[in-house]
Amino acid sequence: MDQVPVFFTGRMVANACSFSPSAGKPAEVVNSWLKLEGMIKLSEPHPVTVDQFCMSHDRSYVEDVLNCRVDNGFRNRIPAVAESLPFTTGAMLAASRAAIVNRRVAVAPCSGFHHAHWSLGAGYCTFNGLMVTAAVLRHEGLVQKIGILDFDQHWGDGTEDIINQLGASAWVHHYSPVYEFGTTESAESFLGAIPGITAGFADCDLVLYQAGADPHVLDPLGGWLTTEQLFRRDEAVFRGLCALGLPVAWNLAGGYQQPLRKVLDIHDNTMRACHATYCRAQALDA
């Protein structure tokens, strides 16, 4: 894999009137990745449909958000945000389809998923693109079991809510380290545990990996991993899942440091770890 497939849409909103930079971050991330010569190949995703959203969300909630009748996850009703949402989840779905086809990896440079519940947006998340992707792919017969490896700083409470609403625990394996690790003292233990954590996804057909930047020790909403440790985290994830032969679709997840360049450096490192792992695997297969 000479280049990593990246599914990016310019329809994401740069200013969603909130503290979170996540709405405007994708374009900046992609521009930064483009400077990592030859690492990525850009494609435009298709938007998800209302019916696809409703596989993991209450229909009334979906229709009300898209028609700006209730608040989105940014606690506003800005039409431009509503218009961007089908493309944000569409990027995650497109990356997942691509990873299934190439049997390696693809990227959706987007965030704002895991705090979105069945019928409620929260924490800068409106629709849960992780669970929408999982439900759509299973409905289409492309996966039987899907993994969600959530290495954001925060627990995916919305993901867990939707799993419970759908009775999906038998076909969605959801893991986050926040209750098991999460302190600077546990950082090295966490890194050492990653091979075992990734091995727990061996029976999945696809893994969705949230490569959060907010666990960084200086993040205002994080606080336990250094830049070097985050790079080692991503290396271990990609190497572990690649060794298992599991397709991986990953996204950006959180990151709130200022200036934004600090967050971009973390996401650059995730791309470097991804590219190196799968180029190495391709060379070994040749």
Side-chain angles (χ1 to χ4, degrees):
M1 179 171 291
D2 297 327
Q3 295 177 308
V4 178
V6 173
F7 290 84
F8 171 67
T9 173
R11 293 173 176 84
M12 295 169 184
V13 180
N15 181 8
C17 298
S18 79
F19 163 78
S20 173
S22 61
K25 185 170 65 173
E28 298 295 332
V29 170
V30 170
N31 286 335
S32 191
W33 286 346
L34 287 170
K35 296 174 184 176
L36 305 177
E37 297 179 5
M39 285 197 185
I40 68 171
K41 178 181 179 181
L42 290 178
S43 297
E44 174 85 6
H46 296 292
V48 299
T49 66
V50 169
D51 286 342
Q52 287 173 328
F53 273 133
C54 293
M55 290 182 184
S56 290
H57 289 287
D58 175 75
R59 181 171 291 273
S60 295
Y61 170 69
V62 172
E63 293 177 347
D64 284 348
V65 166
L66 294 179
N67 288 286
C68 302
R69 292 192 292 261
V70 300
D71 286 355
N72 55 47
F74 294 99
R75 298 182 181 178
N76 64 54
R77 303 182 188 185
I78 298 174
V81 174
E83 292 168 7
S84 73
L85 294 169
F87 292 93
T88 306
T89 293
M92 196 73 225
L93 181 57
S96 299
R97 293 188 194 281
I100 290 170
V101 170
N102 69 38
R103 299 302 303 169
R104 293 191 185 279
V105 70
V107 184
C110 56
S111 55
F113 291 149
H114 73 163
H115 294 310
H117 290 61
W118 171 256
S119 58
L120 176 70
Y124 319 126
C125 304
T126 306
F127 295 127
N128 196 309
L130 305 170
M131 286 304 298
V132 172
T133 293
V136 170
L137 295 178
R138 186 170 185 265
H139 175 75
E140 294 176 350
L142 294 176
V143 299
Q144 294 300 311
K145 185 171 183 179
I146 196 163
I148 298 176
L149 180 57
D150 192 344
F151 279 178
D152 188 89
Q153 170 67 12
H154 310 99
W155 171 242
D157 54 336
T159 301
E160 199 64 25
D161 174 55
I162 295 171
I163 289 172
N164 291 335
Q165 288 282 344
L166 298 179
S169 58
W171 57 271
V172 177
H173 176 36
H174 177 215
Y175 177 83
S176 177
V178 296
Y179 295 123
E180 189 175 0
F181 299 100
T183 65
T184 54
E185 292 77 17
S186 66
E188 289 298 323
S189 296
F190 164 66
L191 295 172
I194 290 176
I197 293 170
T198 55
F201 290 84
D203 62 343
C204 294
D205 302 304
L206 171 73
V207 175
L208 308 181
Y209 173 44
Q210 289 230 122
D214 53 357
H216 193 275
V217 68
L218 298 180
D219 195 282
L221 299 182
W224 65 295
L225 296 172
T226 67
T227 299
E228 185 265 344
Q229 288 171 330
L230 284 168
F231 180 67
R232 288 165 55 198
R233 174 201 71 177
D234 294 333
E235 277 191 320
V237 168
F238 291 129
R239 287 178 180 177
L241 297 176
C242 181
L244 291 170
L246 295 177
V248 179
W250 60 276
N251 70 339
L252 304 178
Y256 306 95
Q257 291 187 76
Q258 294 295 335
L260 184 61
R261 183 67 251 173
K262 295 181 179 180
V263 178
L264 299 181
D265 289 343
I266 295 169
H267 292 316
D268 281 358
N269 279 342
T270 305
M271 180 56 74
R272 288 188 180 100
C274 175
H275 187 267
T277 297
Y278 291 98
C279 282
R280 186 183 305 112
Q282 185 179 45
L284 291 173
D285 290 343

